[in-house]
Amino acid sequence: MSVRFSLRQLEFFVAVADAGSLSAGAERCGASQAGVSLAIRDLERHLGVQLLTRRRAKGAVLTEAGTRVLLDARRLLGSADDLQAIASATTNEISGTLAVGCYVTLAPFVIPPVLDGFARRHPALDVRVTEGAADEMHGALLDGRCELAFLYDNDDVTGLSSVPVRTSRPYLILAADHPLAERESIRLAEVADDPLIMFDVPSAANAAQMLAEVGLTPRIRHLSSNIEVVRCLVARGVGYSILVQRWPTDLSFEGRPVVSRPIADPTRERRAVLAWPARTRLTRRAQALVDFAAETSV
């Protein structure tokens, strides 16, 4: 069966879907609004479905069919980009653009090696990383805005395939002069009466829940979604906290010392993964990042 639509038409459709209007999509593509509108109508005619609902002064909105087609349109454009990069490469170098998502609390641990080590290994590849909440990154994968994303495996990974990249266990942080600071490991019951400085993001170990599971009631002193605020308060002796990812320094943002100690009680591992839409063939550039992550445990 002959294909009756073009990659250019798909490019126009994706641009309008991303920009939210025909005029903005046309500007992104360096084309006229009339030309973009005509190309998309022709695409709709050949596909036999309406992809966009045009609303005066309200832009263009994806129809149900348009939402279904959008991901595959992105995949086709990505594959075409991959093919062009392979054809034009004089060696086995990987080129093109790789869009990567990253859950924001993982960003300090994975973005530097990706934009440094991985990018230097593939200098012809344009690596673009977007940070956001877990649901935002999940959505970016499913609608094709990102080829890959770094997430936690207990976040919503419905419809995704993944490989593990790093594993962590929850641990305690205390002020350097805390009475238990010299201990090799600490039971939760030994700190439960102290004020809890709670790192309040979905990816963090839920300290209150962990305490409740062993029959303890937390005394929450402060909740913060900023990990440096948590570490500063702990360093000042305001309370203790429970974190997941190991910070590379024993100093708070203010330069005060903190100590990290294992939790003696049984705890669940947290795994960070590199994920992509299930049943999707990875492009060469995406596979290269998967291989790099497995090799380096970013």
Side-chain angles (χ1 to χ4, degrees):
M1 182 179 68
S2 61
V3 176
R4 299 177 181 238
F5 57 85
S6 68
L7 292 176
R8 188 61 168 164
Q9 289 173 326
L10 294 179
E11 183 183 355
F12 287 162
F13 166 58
V14 170
V16 171
D18 287 344
S21 72
L22 287 167
S23 59
E27 184 176 352
R28 287 190 180 190
C29 295
S32 69
Q33 181 174 337
V36 168
S37 179
L38 181 63
I40 293 177
R41 288 191 184 280
D42 195 45
L43 176 62
E44 291 174 321
R45 181 170 59 83
H46 287 307
L47 293 179
V49 295
Q50 183 178 354
L51 301 173
L52 298 167
T53 299
R54 289 81 167 170
R55 296 176 179 173
R56 183 168 302 199
K58 291 186 178 181
V61 180
L62 285 169
T63 63
E64 183 178 347
T67 300
R68 292 196 306 269
V69 170
L70 181 60
L71 174 57
D72 287 325
R74 292 191 201 276
R75 288 173 178 168
L76 282 171
L77 291 172
S79 295
D81 186 41
D82 209 24
L83 176 61
Q84 181 172 315
I86 293 171
S88 61
T90 56
T91 64
N92 286 326
E93 72 174 9
I94 297 175
S95 59
T97 300
L98 177 61
V100 182
C102 185
Y103 182 34
V104 65
T105 61
L106 283 171
F109 303 96
V110 300
I111 291 180
V114 167
L115 291 184
D116 180 22
F118 178 70
R120 281 191 291 107
R121 182 177 295 187
H122 303 287
L125 182 62
D126 181 15
V127 184
R128 301 179 183 178
V129 183
T130 301
E131 302 174 41
D135 58 345
E136 294 172 349
M137 295 301 95
H138 185 267
L141 286 175
L142 294 183
D143 68 16
R145 284 173 290 150
C146 293
E147 288 191 52
L148 301 161
F150 291 95
L151 302 166
Y152 281 105
D153 66 351
N154 65 331
D155 290 324
D156 182 7
V157 292
T158 305
L160 303 180
S161 297
S162 65
V163 294
V165 295
R166 57 189 293 138
T167 302
S168 306
R169 283 191 179 276
Y171 65 97
L172 289 163
I173 62 168
L174 308 166
D177 59 356
H178 191 282
L180 300 175
E182 300 300 321
R183 296 274 295 278
E184 290 188 5
S185 64
I186 302 168
R187 298 190 67 83
L188 293 173
E190 297 178 277
V191 294
D193 290 334
D194 291 354
L196 170 62
I197 310 300
M198 191 165 167
F199 186 35
D200 190 30
V201 296
S203 67
N206 189 321
Q209 182 178 338
M210 290 177 64
L211 290 164
E213 287 175 353
V214 293
L216 302 169
T217 301
R219 295 179 53 218
I220 299 176
R221 176 66 177 82
H222 184 71
L223 294 90
S224 177
S225 60
N226 186 321
I227 195 167
E228 285 297 353
V229 170
V230 172
R231 297 178 80 251
C232 284
L233 290 171
V234 170
R236 285 174 172 265
V238 177
Y240 73 98
S241 191
I242 298 175
L243 302 177
V244 175
Q245 295 295 339
R246 291 279 177 173
W247 225 239
T249 176
D250 290 328
L251 294 177
S252 73
F253 183 78
E254 296 178 309
R256 298 171 183 260
V258 296
V259 296
S260 304
R261 292 293 179 263
I263 297 172
D265 309 82
T267 57
R268 291 187 291 272
E269 285 185 341
R270 296 296 307 279
R271 287 199 313 167
V273 299
L274 184 55
W276 63 91
R279 298 181 298 280
T280 297
R281 184 180 67 84
L282 293 175
T283 61
R284 288 179 69 237
R285 55 185 177 267
Q287 185 63 57
L289 180 56
V290 170
D291 295 341
F292 176 82
E295 173 190 333
T296 60
S297 298
V298 297

PDB file of all heavy atoms in Angstrom, residues 171-186:
ATOM      1  N   TYR A 171      17.896   6.235  54.410  1.00  0.00           N
ATOM      2  CA  TYR A 171      18.872   6.347  55.492  1.00  0.00           C
ATOM      3  C   TYR A 171      18.557   7.591  56.322  1.00  0.00           C
ATOM      4  O   TYR A 171      17.800   8.470  55.899  1.00  0.00           O
ATOM      5  CB  TYR A 171      20.296   6.414  54.934  1.00  0.00           C
ATOM      6  CG  TYR A 171      20.569   7.651  54.101  1.00  0.00           C
ATOM      7  CD1 TYR A 171      21.186   8.778  54.640  1.00  0.00           C
ATOM      8  CD2 TYR A 171      20.201   7.703  52.751  1.00  0.00           C
ATOM      9  CE1 TYR A 171      21.432   9.903  53.882  1.00  0.00           C
ATOM     10  CE2 TYR A 171      20.434   8.825  51.990  1.00  0.00           C
ATOM     11  CZ  TYR A 171      21.054   9.927  52.551  1.00  0.00           C
ATOM     12  OH  TYR A 171      21.285  11.051  51.791  1.00  0.00           O
ATOM     13  N   LEU A 172      19.128   7.667  57.505  1.00  0.00           N
ATOM     14  CA  LEU A 172      18.928   8.793  58.419  1.00  0.00           C
ATOM     15  C   LEU A 172      20.027   9.829  58.232  1.00  0.00           C
ATOM     16  O   LEU A 172      21.194   9.477  57.991  1.00  0.00           O
ATOM     17  CB  LEU A 172      18.948   8.312  59.874  1.00  0.00           C
ATOM     18  CG  LEU A 172      17.752   7.486  60.348  1.00  0.00           C
ATOM     19  CD1 LEU A 172      18.116   6.757  61.630  1.00  0.00           C
ATOM     20  CD2 LEU A 172      16.539   8.382  60.575  1.00  0.00           C
ATOM     21  N   ILE A 173      19.666  11.095  58.359  1.00  0.00           N
ATOM     22  CA  ILE A 173      20.692  12.133  58.502  1.00  0.00           C
ATOM     23  C   ILE A 173      20.445  12.861  59.820  1.00  0.00           C
ATOM     24  O   ILE A 173      19.307  13.116  60.217  1.00  0.00           O
ATOM     25  CB  ILE A 173      20.729  13.124  57.318  1.00  0.00           C
ATOM     26  CG1 ILE A 173      19.418  13.898  57.169  1.00  0.00           C
ATOM     27  CG2 ILE A 173      21.096  12.430  56.035  1.00  0.00           C
ATOM     28  CD1 ILE A 173      19.551  15.073  56.201  1.00  0.00           C
ATOM     29  N   LEU A 174      21.558  13.151  60.510  1.00  0.00           N
ATOM     30  CA  LEU A 174      21.531  13.771  61.830  1.00  0.00           C
ATOM     31  C   LEU A 174      22.544  14.896  61.878  1.00  0.00           C
ATOM     32  O   LEU A 174      23.491  14.942  61.081  1.00  0.00           O
ATOM     33  CB  LEU A 174      21.887  12.736  62.910  1.00  0.00           C
ATOM     34  CG  LEU A 174      21.120  11.416  62.937  1.00  0.00           C
ATOM     35  CD1 LEU A 174      21.840  10.417  63.832  1.00  0.00           C
ATOM     36  CD2 LEU A 174      19.693  11.647  63.422  1.00  0.00           C
ATOM     37  N   ALA A 175      22.366  15.774  62.849  1.00  0.00           N
ATOM     38  CA  ALA A 175      23.394  16.780  63.116  1.00  0.00           C
ATOM     39  C   ALA A 175      24.649  16.072  63.619  1.00  0.00           C
ATOM     40  O   ALA A 175      24.580  15.000  64.235  1.00  0.00           O
ATOM     41  CB  ALA A 175      22.898  17.781  64.152  1.00  0.00           C
ATOM     42  N   ALA A 176      25.803  16.662  63.343  1.00  0.00           N
ATOM     43  CA  ALA A 176      27.069  16.032  63.724  1.00  0.00           C
ATOM     44  C   ALA A 176      27.193  15.836  65.230  1.00  0.00           C
ATOM     45  O   ALA A 176      27.879  14.920  65.686  1.00  0.00           O
ATOM     46  CB  ALA A 176      28.232  16.870  63.206  1.00  0.00           C
ATOM     47  N   ASP A 177      26.510  16.676  66.031  1.00  0.00           N
ATOM     48  CA  ASP A 177      26.606  16.551  67.489  1.00  0.00           C
ATOM     49  C   ASP A 177      25.411  15.818  68.097  1.00  0.00           C
ATOM     50  O   ASP A 177      25.215  15.842  69.313  1.00  0.00           O
ATOM     51  CB  ASP A 177      26.756  17.930  68.132  1.00  0.00           C
ATOM     52  CG  ASP A 177      25.584  18.870  67.823  1.00  0.00           C
ATOM     53  OD1 ASP A 177      24.691  18.466  67.031  1.00  0.00           O
ATOM     54  OD2 ASP A 177      25.575  19.994  68.363  1.00  0.00           O
ATOM     55  N   HIS A 178      24.629  15.135  67.263  1.00  0.00           N
ATOM     56  CA  HIS A 178      23.499  14.362  67.787  1.00  0.00           C
ATOM     57  C   HIS A 178      24.031  13.212  68.644  1.00  0.00           C
ATOM     58  O   HIS A 178      25.063  12.606  68.317  1.00  0.00           O
ATOM     59  CB  HIS A 178      22.667  13.813  66.620  1.00  0.00           C
ATOM     60  CG  HIS A 178      21.351  13.236  67.027  1.00  0.00           C
ATOM     61  ND1 HIS A 178      21.213  11.985  67.589  1.00  0.00           N
ATOM     62  CD2 HIS A 178      20.078  13.743  66.937  1.00  0.00           C
ATOM     63  CE1 HIS A 178      19.941  11.740  67.836  1.00  0.00           C
ATOM     64  NE2 HIS A 178      19.222  12.795  67.451  1.00  0.00           N
ATOM     65  N   PRO A 179      23.367  12.862  69.740  1.00  0.00           N
ATOM     66  CA  PRO A 179      23.836  11.785  70.622  1.00  0.00           C
ATOM     67  C   PRO A 179      24.027  10.442  69.917  1.00  0.00           C
ATOM     68  O   PRO A 179      24.832   9.614  70.376  1.00  0.00           O
ATOM     69  CB  PRO A 179      22.732  11.692  71.679  1.00  0.00           C
ATOM     70  CG  PRO A 179      22.096  13.050  71.697  1.00  0.00           C
ATOM     71  CD  PRO A 179      22.177  13.554  70.293  1.00  0.00           C
ATOM     72  N   LEU A 180      23.316  10.221  68.806  1.00  0.00           N
ATOM     73  CA  LEU A 180      23.439   8.947  68.098  1.00  0.00           C
ATOM     74  C   LEU A 180      24.365   9.020  66.885  1.00  0.00           C
ATOM     75  O   LEU A 180      24.499   8.039  66.144  1.00  0.00           O
ATOM     76  CB  LEU A 180      22.048   8.476  67.626  1.00  0.00           C
ATOM     77  CG  LEU A 180      20.992   8.249  68.710  1.00  0.00           C
ATOM     78  CD1 LEU A 180      19.645   7.921  68.075  1.00  0.00           C
ATOM     79  CD2 LEU A 180      21.428   7.126  69.642  1.00  0.00           C
ATOM     80  N   ALA A 181      25.012  10.146  66.708  1.00  0.00           N
ATOM     81  CA  ALA A 181      25.797  10.362  65.496  1.00  0.00           C
ATOM     82  C   ALA A 181      26.953   9.376  65.340  1.00  0.00           C
ATOM     83  O   ALA A 181      27.389   9.107  64.223  1.00  0.00           O
ATOM     84  CB  ALA A 181      26.318  11.797  65.457  1.00  0.00           C
ATOM     85  N   GLU A 182      27.470   8.828  66.449  1.00  0.00           N
ATOM     86  CA  GLU A 182      28.607   7.914  66.374  1.00  0.00           C
ATOM     87  C   GLU A 182      28.197   6.468  66.143  1.00  0.00           C
ATOM     88  O   GLU A 182      29.052   5.595  65.943  1.00  0.00           O
ATOM     89  CB  GLU A 182      29.444   8.022  67.657  1.00  0.00           C
ATOM     90  CG  GLU A 182      30.020   9.408  67.919  1.00  0.00           C
ATOM     91  CD  GLU A 182      30.935   9.858  66.781  1.00  0.00           C
ATOM     92  OE1 GLU A 182      31.679   9.018  66.256  1.00  0.00           O
ATOM     93  OE2 GLU A 182      30.872  11.054  66.406  1.00  0.00           O
ATOM     94  N   ARG A 183      26.910   6.193  66.170  1.00  0.00           N
ATOM     95  CA  ARG A 183      26.437   4.822  65.987  1.00  0.00           C
ATOM     96  C   ARG A 183      26.613   4.373  64.533  1.00  0.00           C
ATOM     97  O   ARG A 183      26.487   5.168  63.602  1.00  0.00           O
ATOM     98  CB  ARG A 183      24.966   4.734  66.382  1.00  0.00           C
ATOM     99  CG  ARG A 183      24.709   5.026  67.868  1.00  0.00           C
ATOM    100  CD  ARG A 183      24.884   3.788  68.699  1.00  0.00           C
ATOM    101  NE  ARG A 183      23.865   2.827  68.329  1.00  0.00           N
ATOM    102  CZ  ARG A 183      22.602   2.852  68.795  1.00  0.00           C
ATOM    103  NH1 ARG A 183      22.223   3.800  69.662  1.00  0.00           N
ATOM    104  NH2 ARG A 183      21.734   1.945  68.420  1.00  0.00           N
ATOM    105  N   GLU A 184      26.855   3.079  64.324  1.00  0.00           N
ATOM    106  CA  GLU A 184      27.002   2.551  62.967  1.00  0.00           C
ATOM    107  C   GLU A 184      25.657   2.458  62.261  1.00  0.00           C
ATOM    108  O   GLU A 184      25.577   2.642  61.043  1.00  0.00           O
ATOM    109  CB  GLU A 184      27.678   1.180  63.002  1.00  0.00           C
ATOM    110  CG  GLU A 184      29.151   1.238  63.407  1.00  0.00           C
ATOM    111  CD  GLU A 184      29.829  -0.107  63.235  1.00  0.00           C
ATOM    112  OE1 GLU A 184      29.180  -1.043  62.708  1.00  0.00           O
ATOM    113  OE2 GLU A 184      30.994  -0.221  63.628  1.00  0.00           O
ATOM    114  N   SER A 185      24.603   2.117  62.972  1.00  0.00           N
ATOM    115  CA  SER A 185      23.254   2.091  62.424  1.00  0.00           C
ATOM    116  C   SER A 185      22.278   2.433  63.548  1.00  0.00           C
ATOM    117  O   SER A 185      22.617   2.303  64.732  1.00  0.00           O
ATOM    118  CB  SER A 185      22.915   0.725  61.818  1.00  0.00           C
ATOM    119  OG  SER A 185      22.916  -0.282  62.804  1.00  0.00           O
ATOM    120  N   ILE A 186      21.075   2.874  63.162  1.00  0.00           N
ATOM    121  CA  ILE A 186      20.127   3.400  64.150  1.00  0.00           C
ATOM    122  C   ILE A 186      18.742   2.852  63.844  1.00  0.00           C
ATOM    123  O   ILE A 186      18.309   2.837  62.683  1.00  0.00           O
ATOM    124  CB  ILE A 186      20.105   4.948  64.106  1.00  0.00           C
ATOM    125  CG1 ILE A 186      21.505   5.508  64.379  1.00  0.00           C
ATOM    126  CG2 ILE A 186      19.098   5.504  65.110  1.00  0.00           C
ATOM    127  CD1 ILE A 186      21.626   6.992  64.069  1.00  0.00           C
TER     128      ILE A 186
END
